Amino acid sequence: MARKDTSKKTTTNALEKLFLHALGDIYSAENAASRALKDLAGAATLPGLQAALTAHRDETEAQRKRLEAIFEMFHARPKSITCQAIKGIVDEGETMLGEFGDTDAADAAVIFVAQAIEHYEINRFGTLREWAHELGKPEAERMLSEMLDAEYAADQMLTKIAEDQANRAAEGARAGM
């Protein structure tokens, strides 16, 4: 039986290559998120939810430009690597809205999908920020930190809308109100 080689490949820029790969993944995810947020805003019935999703979509557009600037800091061309995770979230969202989009739970479903997108972005921006720190790129770290803060704020705003309005509307329909 052959032994598996457990020695690590050592290259001076392995983390940088990983960083750029992950940056391409989140670049792809931001493009998909922008389209999804537009669709989610269209599916929302609460005016505050529509406005919040539209505002965050505009923020997402600005984040794409920041990601392009980060690629430049690494002397790399922006490269989109198809993000299978966000594709799955968007597909699941389409299914969710197909099932609940015409019910009193529509806004709760919209928030469910939007928060799944936010949580993915929080995960990626957090990791990329730490890697930028390790790679000695303080400007990239700062920009990623700002993007991470924006995602946390969007998530908190969606939670507030869910707690204050959307979940109650869905629950009220179930209770026969």
Side-chain angles (χ1 to χ4, degrees), residues 143-162:
M143 292 172 76
L144 289 159
S145 190
E146 289 173 0
M147 289 185 270
L148 182 60
D149 290 345
E151 299 307 332
Y152 277 123
D155 183 55
Q156 290 172 348
M157 176 245 346
L158 290 168
T159 295
K160 181 159 179 38
I161 294 170

Side-chain angles (χ1 to χ4, degrees), residues 20-63:
L20 290 171
H21 180 88
L23 195 63
D25 176 88
I26 194 64
Y27 186 66
S28 168
E30 288 296 277
N31 287 318
S34 180
R35 291 186 300 274
L37 288 168
K38 180 181 179 186
D39 294 344
L40 291 170
T45 63
L46 293 169
L49 179 56
Q50 291 170 336
L53 292 169
T54 299
H56 191 56
R57 179 177 181 259
D58 293 344
E59 194 170 59
T60 299
E61 292 292 320
Q63 287 178 344

Side-chain angles (χ1 to χ4, degrees), residues 25-168:
D25 176 88
I26 194 64
Y27 186 66
S28 168
E30 288 296 277
N31 287 318
S34 180
R35 291 186 300 274
L37 288 168
K38 180 181 179 186
D39 294 344
L40 291 170
T45 63
L46 293 169
L49 179 56
Q50 291 170 336
L53 292 169
T54 299
H56 191 56
R57 179 177 181 259
D58 293 344
E59 194 170 59
T60 299
E61 292 292 320
Q63 287 178 344
R64 285 182 0 167
K65 297 208 181 311
R66 287 188 199 113
L67 291 171
E68 290 170 0
I70 293 170
F71 273 109
E72 289 177 20
M73 289 175 201
F74 285 84
H75 308 290
R77 201 177 83 235
K79 181 180 177 186
S80 185
I81 297 171
T82 301
C83 179
Q84 295 300 324
I86 207 75
K87 186 177 182 295
I89 291 169
V90 170
D91 289 348
E92 179 185 34
E94 289 172 2
T95 300
M96 185 77 65
L97 291 176
E99 189 170 341
F100 296 97
D102 292 333
T103 72
D104 290 331
D107 289 313
V110 164
I111 292 169
F112 177 83
V113 174
Q115 284 191 302
I117 292 169
E118 296 310 314
H119 294 174
Y120 180 79
E121 292 171 325
I122 287 167
N123 172 276
R124 292 307 192 244
F125 286 137
T127 299
L128 284 166
R129 179 190 63 190
E130 294 308 312
W131 287 346
H133 175 78
E134 290 295 322
L135 292 166
K137 298 286 188 175
E139 183 63 12
E141 180 183 359
R142 183 193 60 76
M143 292 172 76
L144 289 159
S145 190
E146 289 173 0
M147 289 185 270
L148 182 60
D149 290 345
E151 299 307 332
Y152 277 123
D155 183 55
Q156 290 172 348
M157 176 245 346
L158 290 168
T159 295
K160 181 159 179 38
I161 294 170
E163 291 173 349
D164 292 350
Q165 297 174 318
N167 295 346
R168 288 183 185 157

